[in-house]
Each structure stands twice: as C-alpha cells, then as structure tokens.
Amino acid sequence: MKDTLDSPLVGRSVARVEDPALLSGRGRYIDDLPVAAGTLALAFVRSPHGHADIRSVDIDEAQRAQGVVAVITGQEVAARTRSMTVGVKADVDCWPMAIDRVRYVGEPVAMIVATDRYLAEDAADLVVVDYAPLGVVVDPVAALSEDAPVLHPSLGGNLINERRFRYGDPEAAFDAVPHRIGIDVTYPRSACTPIETYGVIASYEPGEDAYDVTANFQGPFSIHAVVARSLNVPGNRLRLRTPPDSGGSFGIKQGVFPYMILAGIAARVAGAPVKWIEDRLEHLSASVSATNRQTRIEAAVEADGRITALDWDQIEDCGAHLRAPEPATLYRMHGNMTGAYDIPNLAIRNRVVLTNKTPTGLNRGFGGPQIYFALERLMDAIARQLGLDRLEVIRRNLIPADAFPYRTASGALYDSGDYEAAMDRAVTEGGLAELYARRDKARAEGRRYGIGFACVVEPSVSNMGYITTVLTPEERAKAGPKNGAQATATIAIDPLGSVTVKVASVPQGQGHRTVLAQVVADKLGVPMAAVRVLADVDTMRDAWSIASGNYASRFAPAVAGATEIAATRLRDKLAKVAAAQLNIAPEDVSFAAGRIAAKGNPDNSLSFARVAATAHWSPGTLPDSVDQTLRETVFWSPPGLKAPTAEDGINSSLCHGFIFDFCGIEIDPETAEPKIDRYVTMHDCGRILHPAMVDGQVRGGFAQAVGAAFLEEYAYGEDGSFQSGTLADYLLPTVMEVPDPVILHHVTPSPFTPLGAKGVGEGNCMSTPVCIANAVADALAPEGKAPDIVLPVTAAKLAPRIFGDEPNPKNPVPETEVGPTTGGRKLTGEGRAVVKASRADVWQMLLDPATLDAIIPGSHGVQKISETHFKADVTLGVGPVRSRYKADIELSDLDPPNAVTLSGQAAGPLGTGGGHGRITLTDTEDGTEIAYRYEAEIGGKVASVGGRLLDGAAKVVIGEFFRALARHCGGSARSGLLARLIGLVDRIRKGGRS
Amino acid sequence: MPRLTKDDVQPVGFKLNGRPVVVRVTPRTLLTDALRHEIGATGTHVGCEHGVCGACTVQVDGEPARACLMLAHQADGCDIRTVEGLAQGDALTPLQEAFRAHFALQCGFCTAGILMTLDALFSRQPDADEDAIREALSGHLCRCTGYAPIVQAALTARNRIKGGPIDA
C-alpha cells in the first residue's frame, strides 16, 4: 500500500481507491441513487407458458387497482416502438414485450406503473391473460426437426441462420492422415448471475421527444443505437447514463437493454419517471444466460498426434429471440477456433437455432466455454485413441514461440506468446509430478482420482466487426464494412492543476479507477491522490463510441491503453510549456514527485500544478506549438482490427492471452461427489498492471467456472417450464465449494497495445470447466474411450457410472395410470377418506356444484357447464404462496356410483397446472370410503420457485378437500400414512378395551 | 398487538446504528425496503429476497439476520446495526481495513452482509478459527472474488482484533 514516488505505480498492488466507500455502505448502485419526486414503480406481468398464443389481455381490474397509474400491454408497446434490430438477415421481429404470442417462461406480457412496487405487483396479479398453449421445444437439436413446433412462423422453421466456412484445404487434410477422431459434446446453459440484479430509471420529456435512461447497463454501447432505434428517436434523444457503482455483471447486464425500452415507454405513457429493480426470479428466468450448444468436432490426426485439420459442426441455442448482439456468442471465437494449436486447415458449420427458452446474451467467457469444452475434450479423446500421453499431444500441436505474431487459419492475428515455455513452467512450478504421484497412490488404494488438462487462448478486445462474419460476403458488401473497437479516454486539468480522468469503461467492481490513477500518476509524475478517475457514462456529456463499456476483457489493453496515450500527449505538451518556463529543451524535462524539473538539475523545477494550470490562468504564455493543456481526449481503435475479408477471414480480437491449466479431482467412493484436490492455472496476459487485481480476476473467473462445472444449470422442463427460479434451485458455489487455485504467470507483453497488457478477466471461465471435465473423465475411465461428460458434473450424474443403476425398490410405489405427461414439474399422490354417507349420496355430492362450492377450500364459485364439465374459481396455496386460479374440470370414465376420472387445468398469476385423478367409492360398515390417486403437473412461477415444496402442498390442499367433504357428510377424512397410523391406533385402543 | 390490514400505515421505532429512527410503513413492508427506501440507509443490499445470498445481512440485537426475510414491524424496539455503523468517523475498522488490504471485495455488493456476519462472529467468538470463519461465510454468496481473499481478510482481522500479529 506504499505510494512512494520513485518507483512506478503500474505493476504494484496498490490499495483500491474504490474500497473505502464500498466498505462503508456508501456505494452508489442503481437502487441507491436519488430519484425525482413523483417517480413511479414499474412491475411486469410475465408468461407462465413456454409457448402460447395470447388470445386476450384483460387489464380492466388491474387498472382500477389501488395506486395504479398505467397498465401497458405488448400491443401498446409495439404501437410506440420499432422492433429491436436483429443481427442476421431474417424475416423476424424482436419485440421487448410479447404481442400475440409468448415464447418463453418469464417473457413480459404487460407492465404496471403504480405509486409503489408493492401495489404494482398487486395489480400485476389482476391482469388476466387468456393463453392458448402451443407445442414447446427446448432442445436445439429437436428444434431443427421437421415436426418441431415453430416459434416464429415467418421464419418457416427454428433455424435462423446457417453458415459454412472453409479455410485451407480441410478435405485434403482429412484424406491425407491415418486418423479421423471426433466427439459430440453438449454444453448446458448457465450464467454468471451477478448478486445485484438489473435496474432502470427512465423519464421522457415530450417537449423534446427525448428519453433519459439510467441503467446498470455494462455495454457495449452499440446497444445504445438498438435502443434509440427501437424507441424511434435519434441517438441524441436518448440520454443513457450508468450509476457510479454496479454490483457485478460478468456480461449479464448487457441484457438489461430491452427493459430500457420498456421503462422509457412506461415513463412516457405514465407521464412521470419510472423505476424498476428486477427481482431474483425475474433475473434467473428472464434476464439472459449463456447459450447452450451442441457440437460435433472432428480432427485429422497424424500417427504422432499432430492435428492437421479441424471440422466443427455447431448448433447454437439462442433461446426464443435473437437479441442483439447475438449470435455473437457463436462468432466471438471465430478467429481462434484452432485454440492454442498450429492447425492450418479448418471447416466450420454454424447453425443458430431458436427454442422456447430465455434469449441469450453476454456472459463471462462469451463463446469460449462452449468451444474449448469441445476442443479440449477432443484433445483428451485423441490421446486416448492413439495411446499417447495427453500432455504430449498438447505439446506437439502448440503454436511455436517463434511463430508470433501468428495468423490462424480463420484469420486471427495472435499477438504474442511462448506457449511451450509457459506450459513447462506450469508443469514444474505447479507440481505436476507430485500430482501424478498423488493420483498413482490414490489409484493404488482403489480410489477414483483423475488429472485433467486444458490449454486455452483467451481473446480480448473484440473487433466490433466480428459479428458480421455471420453475414455472407455479399451481404457484408451490401451493408458496408464493420470493424474496429474505439476506446476513449479524457484527461482534464482543472485551475488548481489537479488531474481528472474520464473513461467510458463502466466497471462492475474491477477497480478501473485505481488502475487508471496508477497509469496517469506514473506518466505525469504526480502522486495517485492527485488523479481522480470517473468511469461511469453519460452519453450526452462523455466521449464514447459503440465499443465503450466493460466486456471482452478490454479494460487493460484498450481503455488503459487509450488513457496511456492521452497521458503521454498531455505530458508532451506540458513538457513544452515547462521547457519554456524552465528555459530548457522539452526533451530535457522530467516529471517526478509532483514536480516538473530539468533532467540532472532538480533545483531547476516547477510544481506540476503550476505548469499544468498555465492554460487556465495565462493561456497567452503557452508556446506556439501548444494549443491547450486543459483537456485531452483520445479515441484509439487498434489498426489491426479489420473487417472480415472476402474469404471470411476475421481477426476477431486484438489480444490473445494464453492459459494452461491442470487439476486433480477425486470422486468420493461413498457419495460419488467430485472434489478438486489441486488446481493449477498458468496465465500469460501480457504486462500485468496490478498483480492483485489480475489474480482477483483469475480467482473470480475460476470460482464461476467451478459453479458451471459442478452446480449450475438453467433447468427447463420439456413443457418449457423454468425450474431453477431461486438461488436454492440454481446453486452458486459458496466458500465451501471453491478451492484456492495455484496461480502462475508467464509474461509476453502484447506488441499491439500501448501498455503491453492483454485481457485476463474471462480465461478461467473458458479453461476450467473442461479441465475439470477432463479430470473427471480420467477418474472414471483412465484408459479407453473417453466417457461423455455433460456439465454440471454432479454426484447424481456420476453415481450410476460408479455404482450402476439404482436397484428397484422392494415395495414399489404403485403408478397411477394416467395419460402422457408434458414434462413439467410432476406431482403424484394418493389418499383415502371415510365419510358417513352412502355411496349414492357421496356420488351426488361430488357432482353437485353447490356442494362442491361449499367444500372446495378457497372456492369463490363453481359453475356447471354441462353434466360433465365444471368451471371453478378458487384460491389455492400453502403459506405465503397463495393465489387465485380459474379451473376447468371435466369428468370422464363415469361409473356411477363407483368411480370417476377428473381431468382439469388451472391457471392463475403464480402459474398453471393440469392433471388427472381417479376417484373410487366403496362401501364401508357405516358409510363410504373414497380413494383417490392423482398425477398433476405444474408450470409457471410456482414451478420455478416452489417446486421443492409442491408435493407436500398438493397433499395438504387435496387433503383439505376431502376433510371438508367428510365434515359435510359428518365423517372423517384420512389419507395415506396418517390414515394407516390412526387406523392402527384405533385398533390398538379397541383391542385394549375388549 | 392491533390487527392490521395491508394498507394500514403504522409507525415502527428502532435503533439504527445507535440512533433512534421511526418509519411509517405498511405491515408487509420488508425491513430491507424500510432501511433503504424509507430511511435512506442504502448500504444494506438486496440480492435475492429469499434469504440465500446474504447480501442484506444486518445485526438485530447483535445477531446477524437477513433483513429481506424480516418485516419492518418485526424490528420494532430492536437494536439494528448495518454496515454504515461499522466505521467510527472516517477511519475504517480493522475488519474493513483487512478487506481492503486483501482485495477481498470487487463490486462490493455482497460485502456489507459479509462484514456484518464477520463482525458478529468476532464479537461473539474473538478467536474464531478458519473453520468457524468459513462456516459463517458459507451463508454468503460472492460472485467476484472466489472467496479466498475474503477468508484471508477475515483471518487478518481476527488477529488484529485479538491484538496479535496482523498477518495470519
């Protein structure tokens, strides 16, 4: 924490300037910002269905509810906006709110503006949406089949884009080698889920037709254009601001932009500013996640393990809508599809598919986890098939150190690296030999222990033109070239000579303000405290461009680089000013310790502040060659980031870091739980500006990757229901699950960035999941064919491979014979009740609406449509999870007065349900026994948050019904185990008396 | 206690970081919302509103509690302590200093809750060992740091509080 002035600050782990406020509760996150008096709250009505037509949206009751100012439907939003821009040429709209069809659970259907959030949510429950459910498809491969339900009829299918690429001569390469080795991999959906959710504050000024939006958006600011176009205003009528602090993002907060549009419209309709803070269920079910992907990858392999060609076939699942900047996840890695390996021939087939899941977006690693999982599992498969050492196969294919800068087959220009040296150091310093010894010992003792490797090239600073690789060369020629990545930095000097730095980097905790203070203080020779940095954005006041924001690990290479250039320019001007005042040549001026002095003669000096403020106080004394020293703004776009070539070559990123990981994993012999024994991660991220922050990025990415590898999955039922809507269902790793990795660094500075730094934020999200999978595969099957590993690797998935399938229970629970299910959250149960009434009377009661109304718990009325068709309006629930449902019940298989089957559907604000039950009546000594079995499925919100509780809840609710029936008849109702217990007690008591 | 309907606004009085406060809220108002939006004490953060993430942890009569699972009315008469009450004046506490020294926070959103849990742990158990510290931290989710720096910071803070060497 020393801040001495004689050694550079850059490269030292100085204390963060951000921390005192954040540690004291004085952060300024979106929900902490003051808002205008009269700001209203916004809440959303969301789809409980994965796929359904909207027949009608009835907002009358909601509009009359307490505190409600406006209720806005998708029709009204569409009337005031334009469809959001879609990144491929396709006949499809992309609206921020559903209009006539919902395509994923959680899709906004209406929004409520009210005086507070509680009242807004009350009113949201009163909006009645009449849905006609449609067939659902959640699997990307199934979505491609002829008979799959089609999400967007205008597309004629679910394939929204397909492109094939060919670099070098892959067919010839495959023909020329002895081995063609391929694997299929499935990469699931997960997300880096920041602890702070989305938030938007919006207002509208009709006099200027201008929107003012503050959102915890993270960039890229190309999205500003998407939002302005959708709101139907020029860019200068959309002022977009970000709060000073943001509670994590990891890419995810890019996805807040549809809510900027909706909040803008809500403010306009309501005539007042509105504010929306997303809740956790909304975040998990309907923000964004990474894509899930199905990949087939094949390699042309020589006998010695050298790979001469790769053939990729990727099916990318972008969810229900292709939202900007998708399908960027599929194309961000396009230049580095050959990873760390020198492979000259390449074929790629990319298909982008839409399914009934939440639209995808940015997520840390962005495309890297998906491709490296396939590529590095393939490396494992090659070593297995050829009987070679895994590390040796990697080594034989690495790009040699003397090949940099290295042009890949698909057009990336890797800036620097010495992969083999980095790998060798990791093997030695990370203790691989010791790990092998631990594995051998474990195996000798009969334990399952495996070692995995992963080798990854981590791209950073995205070329904004890479996404246009999705277009054909002809389409690109028509649209005009897109390329580059403008980074901006402004350095200003105030009249007292202190220094302010402004960048459009929008950090979410990465310490940008600290690092830039280091960079500028070093350059100007002033203490860090003399430099103040702002990193939030106001598009009406700040220097920004489409590449602004915090993504693609662009801070250290691009933003800090632009700041370095600005500081250098300012220093060079100040040197001229000082040279005139000190009577020396500009090249003899030195900047140190807050003073500007003659080199070699420190007595001939001036205070930095005095020289720096000259342009404020006496601009007339500036040398002719200096215009001003008040403010220097730099826009820097790396020259190497060109548009895709006519042959589809694309330098998709400016920098390419290198990671080599290995780990040891043991599978618990009792529980089948995999556990990391040791994890080593070697990074080459170029020059390191702040070692502790770099290690912080590595540890943070590693922890998220541990979650993705072992715990996290966005789970969908086959009916499209979203089943991981709480943090008790979507499990994030805690301190108990995350070991501390051994972090190593090997530095080859980037020749392409002003400071020599590369990005480092995302690498372990790319390398760690597959490194873990390779280790698990080694633990399961040290030799022979590679086992198929699908993340997350849970004990439940590993157990059958270790212990075999579960044996059948000795006393199997009888299955209820009901129709086919749709794949939602399934509930089953049975019970019986004894009532003091004859079979005929009970039969009558069960079919009589008045009796049913009297005994159904929470009934608000039962209506008889026909002899076998009833409609009911009931309040159902357990504890606080209580809601009103409209139920539709049909009777079938009537066998009066013995048995009847009930089938029904219910829908309410908390979700939907459907099921079948068979009721049978039998005579007892003094009445009738009613036995019932049911199987039901539920979807919507209740399935997302309450799945674990529902079995019990259903039993309670159904039990209540039969208790009420029994009371109505003057008998008693007992069900299941309880009935048997009570029966047993009764018999014992009776036995005791006789 | 009078029976309240959902719209009845009633005063709730409690001590917040040593100062008496009164808020007038409906019965269903969460303690987090009362703290943040009625009082303006925004240092306590809301991450999940179902008690899993721990970001909203405050101290209620000295014990850590999830403010998102408490109604404001349940705090009536209590002594509530939040992150704003840790530092005295401009000086950070040893716990806060240790977090800064070990880079045990990045975005800072989960940090308030973690500080309140550890502060309560060390006041109850000044010699808490690493296992006890991990156990206490296991009720908190952090997405930025990977936890290791938080554990290190906690060990350092414990040693400082005990008066021992700073480095664990």
Side-chain angles (χ1 to χ4, degrees):
Chain A
M1 273 207 267
K2 279 184 293 182
D3 189 7
T4 54
L5 290 165
D6 46 2
S7 66
L9 292 159
V10 171
R12 286 163 49 191
S13 295
V14 301
R16 302 201 321 166
V17 299
E18 291 88 349
D19 288 351
L22 297 182
L23 285 163
S24 308
R26 297 191 304 267
R28 286 169 298 157
Y29 304 86
I30 183 118
D31 193 32
D32 305 341
L33 301 181
V35 293
T39 298
L40 301 169
L42 182 61
F44 290 93
V45 178
R46 294 174 183 275
S47 169
H49 293 283
H51 201 187
D53 280 328
I54 298 174
R55 288 202 200 98
S56 64
V57 182
D58 180 354
I59 60 173
D60 286 353
E61 202 181 345
Q63 266 178 325
R64 289 195 302 271
Q66 185 192 347
V68 170
V69 176
V71 182
I72 303 159
T73 64
Q75 297 278 5
E76 188 163 359
V77 170
R80 291 170 183 271
T81 57
R82 291 194 286 183
S83 162
M84 299 185 288
T85 313
V86 176
V88 300
K89 299 280 174 219
D91 179 18
V92 67
D93 282 342
C94 185
W95 296 98
M97 182 177 280
I99 300 170
D100 48 18
R101 184 187 279 211
V102 291
R103 296 178 174 88
Y104 63 94
V105 168
E107 184 163 14
V109 174
M111 54 184 170
I112 315 281
V113 182
T115 49
D116 77 38
R117 177 65 176 260
Y118 291 74
L119 296 174
E121 292 195 17
D122 286 348
D125 283 352
L126 300 176
V127 172
V128 181
V129 186
D130 185 10
Y131 295 101
L134 298 166
V136 165
V137 61
V138 294
D139 177 75
V141 178
L144 286 172
S145 77
E146 287 281 314
D147 53 353
V150 173
L151 275 76
H152 298 269
S154 62
L155 289 176
N158 298 315
L159 179 68
I160 189 166
N161 184 269
E162 175 168 7
R163 282 221 66 198
R164 288 171 191 263
F165 303 90
R166 192 174 165 280
Y167 305 94
D169 193 346
E171 299 83 3
F174 273 98
D175 286 344
V177 294
H179 302 286
R180 184 183 195 106
I181 299 172
I183 55 168
D184 292 284
V185 303
T186 303
Y187 202 86
R189 269 195 177 212
S190 60
C192 287
T193 47
I195 303 296
E196 181 195 40
T197 56
Y198 291 170
V200 181
I201 304 161
S203 62
Y204 175 74
E205 171 47 55
E208 296 195 65
D209 188 25
Y211 294 91
D212 191 335
V213 175
T214 302
N216 54 8
F217 177 63
Q218 64 138 46
F221 278 70
S222 51
I223 296 292
H224 180 275
V226 175
V227 174
R229 284 174 64 93
S230 179
L231 284 169
N232 239 331
V233 290
N236 62 4
R237 308 272 155 183
L238 169 63
R239 180 180 189 176
L240 175 56
R241 294 187 266 182
T242 63
D245 295 305
S246 180
S249 174
F250 323 109
I252 298 295
K253 283 175 179 162
Q254 168 267 335
V256 70
F257 77 89
Y259 296 101
M260 297 184 205
I261 300 166
L262 293 173
I265 295 302
R268 183 174 182 169
V269 172
V274 301
K275 173 175 167 177
W276 170 68
I277 302 295
E278 185 189 49
D279 71 26
R280 184 53 62 181
L281 170 61
E282 291 181 294
H283 187 83
L284 288 167
S285 64
S287 61
V288 288
S289 73
T291 61
N292 52 296
R293 190 180 297 179
Q294 185 66 35
T295 302
R296 169 80 190 166
I297 181 172
E298 294 180 353
V301 190
E302 301 279 11
D304 65 355
R306 271 281 303 153
I307 302 167
T308 59
L310 285 180
D311 186 350
W312 291 84
D313 186 349
Q314 306 188 95
I315 301 172
E316 177 85 326
D317 180 352
C318 283
H321 301 279
L322 197 64
R323 254 188 218 158
E326 293 288 33
T329 311
L330 189 56
Y331 283 88
R332 184 200 180 192
M333 300 284 148
H334 200 81
N336 52 281
M337 294 298 286
T338 43
Y341 310 119
D342 182 17
I343 303 172
N345 305 295
L346 180 62
I348 301 171
R349 180 188 190 190
N350 279 344
R351 282 175 282 181
V352 182
V353 174
L354 303 179
T355 64
N356 293 112
K357 304 208 291 279
T358 302
T360 57
L362 269 60
N363 187 61
R364 194 177 195 171
F366 202 48
Q370 293 90 337
I371 71 148
Y372 288 116
F373 194 86
L375 183 57
E376 296 302 298
R377 290 290 295 127
L378 177 68
M379 295 305 280
D380 183 43
I382 291 170
R384 284 168 182 269
Q385 185 161 334
L386 302 186
L388 295 171
D389 178 67
R390 290 174 175 84
L391 209 50
E392 197 49 38
V393 174
I394 290 172
R395 190 186 302 277
R396 285 177 191 171
N397 285 289
L398 287 177
I399 296 165
D402 60 6
F404 292 92
Y406 172 87
R407 183 72 72 179
T408 66
S410 48
L413 189 63
Y414 289 0
D415 42 347
S416 64
D418 186 343
Y419 297 172
E420 192 163 10
M423 196 171 101
D424 287 343
R425 278 191 51 208
V427 165
T428 311
E429 295 168 37
L432 181 60
E434 186 203 334
L435 206 61
Y436 278 136
R438 286 175 69 81
R439 179 179 75 175
D440 294 345
K441 181 168 180 287
R443 284 184 179 166
E445 291 167 5
R447 290 183 282 139
R448 282 191 167 80
Y449 191 110
I451 290 176
F453 301 96
C455 210
V456 156
V457 166
E458 176 184 6
S460 53
V461 191
S462 286
N463 181 348
M464 298 308 279
Y466 78 72
I467 182 58
T468 61
T469 316
V470 73
L471 305 175
T472 63
E474 298 72 39
E475 287 169 338
R476 285 200 298 270
K478 222 170 136 189
K482 304 263 192 313
N483 70 291
Q486 288 280 12
T488 72
T490 297
I491 303 180
I493 290 173
D494 59 72
L496 291 177
S498 61
V499 180
T500 304
V501 180
K502 283 178 81 171
V503 291
S505 69
V506 200
Q508 298 87 29
Q510 291 88 350
H512 293 181
R513 294 174 57 217
T514 301
V515 175
L516 296 185
Q518 288 176 278
V519 168
V520 174
D522 270 356
K523 188 62 69 179
L524 301 182
V526 296
M528 256 182 83
V531 181
R532 191 134 191 255
V533 183
L534 297 180
D536 49 311
V537 167
D538 176 340
T539 58
M540 289 302 282
R541 291 186 190 275
D542 296 333
W544 64 279
S545 179
I546 60 163
S548 296
N550 193 28
Y551 62 94
S553 300
R554 64 193 304 280
F555 171 73
V559 178
T563 307
E564 163 81 5
I565 295 171
T568 305
R569 281 191 199 162
L570 194 61
R571 186 201 58 185
D572 291 349
K573 284 187 188 180
L574 289 171
K576 288 179 185 171
V577 176
Q581 296 180 11
L582 294 170
N583 238 342
I584 55 174
E587 52 273 22
D588 291 332
V589 172
S590 76
F591 291 73
R595 299 195 69 79
I596 303 180
K599 278 181 194 162
N601 180 12
D603 291 341
N604 186 19
S605 72
L606 294 161
S607 81
F608 174 85
R610 183 177 171 134
V611 177
T614 304
H616 282 287
W617 299 106
S618 73
T621 66
L622 294 177
D624 289 345
S625 59
V626 175
D627 53 352
Q628 51 84 19
T629 61
L630 306 176
R631 179 180 286 255
E632 196 66 44
T633 295
V634 162
F635 287 84
W636 180 65
S637 184
L641 295 183
K642 304 271 197 306
T645 65
E647 296 74 37
D648 288 318
I650 176 65
N651 187 18
S652 37
S653 302
L654 176 67
C655 302
H656 296 86
F658 175 73
I659 301 171
F660 173 70
D661 286 0
F662 64 86
C663 70
I665 286 184
E666 180 165 1
I667 299 173
D668 188 287
E670 302 278 321
T671 64
E673 190 175 7
K675 192 160 184 272
I676 296 175
D677 180 37
R678 182 179 174 86
Y679 198 101
V680 177
T681 182
M682 163 60 91
H683 285 251
D684 181 352
C685 61
R687 184 177 171 209
I688 293 172
L689 306 182
H690 189 295
M693 284 191 205
V694 165
D695 285 358
Q697 288 298 311
V698 171
R699 280 201 191 87
F702 171 74
Q704 287 179 325
V706 166
F710 291 127
L711 298 168
E712 300 174 31
E713 183 174 12
Y714 275 13
Y716 284 85
E718 282 173 31
D719 66 343
S721 60
F722 182 69
Q723 300 178 340
S724 43
T726 76
L727 293 179
D729 301 282
Y730 188 80
L731 297 178
L732 307 184
T734 73
V735 67
M736 299 303 195
E737 286 84 35
V738 184
D740 197 17
V742 176
I743 302 171
L744 302 168
H745 295 285
H746 185 81
V747 177
T748 60
S750 173
F752 298 163
T753 67
L755 287 162
K758 307 182 184 189
V760 71
E762 303 175 82
N764 284 87
C765 288
M766 307 179 193
S767 60
T768 299
V770 66
C771 187
I772 289 172
N774 282 342
V776 170
D778 187 39
L780 287 175
E783 281 163 24
K785 196 173 176 299
D788 185 24
I789 306 284
V790 179
L791 303 181
V793 203
T794 58
K797 277 186 192 160
L798 295 180
R801 300 195 191 193
I802 293 173
F803 309 123
D805 289 331
E806 286 267 310
N808 288 327
K810 282 182 198 146
N811 302 306
V813 179
E815 288 290 320
T816 310
E817 283 301 320
V818 288
T821 62
T822 56
R825 179 85 73 160
K826 200 151 76 169
L827 310 171
T828 55
E830 61 178 340
R832 70 198 63 168
V834 180
V835 297
K836 285 183 183 159
S838 73
R839 212 157 18 119
D841 286 350
V842 173
W843 183 260
Q844 282 306 320
M845 280 182 232
L846 284 173
L847 301 188
D848 172 37
T851 309
L852 288 173
D853 187 30
I855 62 174
I856 291 174
S859 174
H860 305 287
V862 176
Q863 200 188 343
K864 188 170 183 176
I865 308 295
S866 74
E867 284 302 316
T868 57
H869 187 187
F870 297 84
K871 279 185 186 293
D873 181 2
V874 291
T875 295
L876 284 178
V878 170
V881 187
R882 192 168 287 275
S883 179
R884 198 157 166 172
Y885 294 86
K886 296 208 182 302
D888 202 81
I889 300 154
E890 302 230 30
L891 307 180
S892 56
D893 298 333
L894 276 81
D895 174 17
N898 301 314
V900 59
T901 296
L902 276 70
S903 316
Q905 298 290 329
L910 284 180
T912 58
H916 319 258
R918 182 80 176 160
I919 296 178
T920 46
L921 307 180
T922 44
D923 288 332
T924 63
E925 275 176 28
D926 55 349
T928 305
E929 184 186 76
I930 309 168
Y932 58 92
R933 283 177 175 181
Y934 63 88
E935 184 165 303
E937 284 182 328
I938 46 126
K941 194 186 281 184
V942 75
S944 302
V945 304
R948 286 160 291 110
L949 309 172
L950 281 170
D951 258 328
K955 288 191 174 83
V956 169
V957 170
I958 291 165
E960 269 177 42
F961 171 79
F962 285 105
R963 270 193 296 282
L965 179 67
R967 277 196 301 277
H968 198 78
C969 308
S972 69
R974 294 158 189 181
S975 68
L977 181 66
L978 186 65
R980 287 201 292 278
L981 276 175
I982 293 172
L984 186 68
V985 172
D986 278 355
R987 279 203 298 281
I988 292 167
R989 278 175 46 209
K990 280 177 189 160
R993 257 188 266 138
S994 60
Chain B
M1 204 184 216
R3 188 174 170 81
L4 302 173
T5 70
K6 92 176 154 63
D7 301 322
D8 280 336
V9 173
Q10 294 284 330
V12 182
F14 52 87
K15 262 194 190 166
L16 178 61
N17 299 319
R19 291 185 199 165
V21 292
V22 176
V23 289
R24 302 181 61 82
V25 293
T26 59
R28 61 178 173 170
T29 303
L30 299 176
L31 180 57
T32 44
D33 286 338
L35 287 172
R36 295 178 46 78
H37 301 308
E38 301 296 324
I39 298 169
T42 56
T44 300
H45 297 152
V46 177
C48 73
E49 285 188 306
H50 52 264
V52 178
C53 79
C56 68
T57 303
V58 299
Q59 290 171 9
V60 179
D61 296 332
E63 290 296 320
R66 303 285 209 240
C68 78
L69 296 184
M70 259 182 90
L71 298 170
H73 280 268
Q74 291 174 289
D76 197 47
C78 292
D79 197 344
I80 307 286
R81 197 151 167 261
T82 66
V83 68
E84 289 98 332
L86 286 180
Q88 301 301 313
D90 292 341
L92 298 178
T93 63
L95 180 63
Q96 290 166 312
E97 281 291 359
F99 267 63
R100 193 178 189 205
H102 286 278
F103 302 93
L105 69 159
Q106 287 181 29
C107 80
F109 200 78
C110 69
T111 310
I114 291 176
L115 292 174
M116 297 320 288
T117 288
L118 289 175
D119 180 81
L121 174 70
F122 293 142
S123 61
R124 199 173 47 237
Q125 209 180 322
D127 56 351
D129 63 9
E130 186 174 334
D131 283 349
I133 288 169
R134 285 180 175 274
E135 179 73 29
L137 289 173
S138 70
H140 291 268
L141 296 174
C142 169
R143 279 306 241 179
C144 295
T145 64
Y147 300 107
I150 298 177
V151 175
Q152 284 306 311
L155 290 167
T156 299
R158 177 204 62 189
N159 293 351
R160 272 283 293 278
I161 293 163
K162 278 199 307 189
I166 290 172
D167 287 323

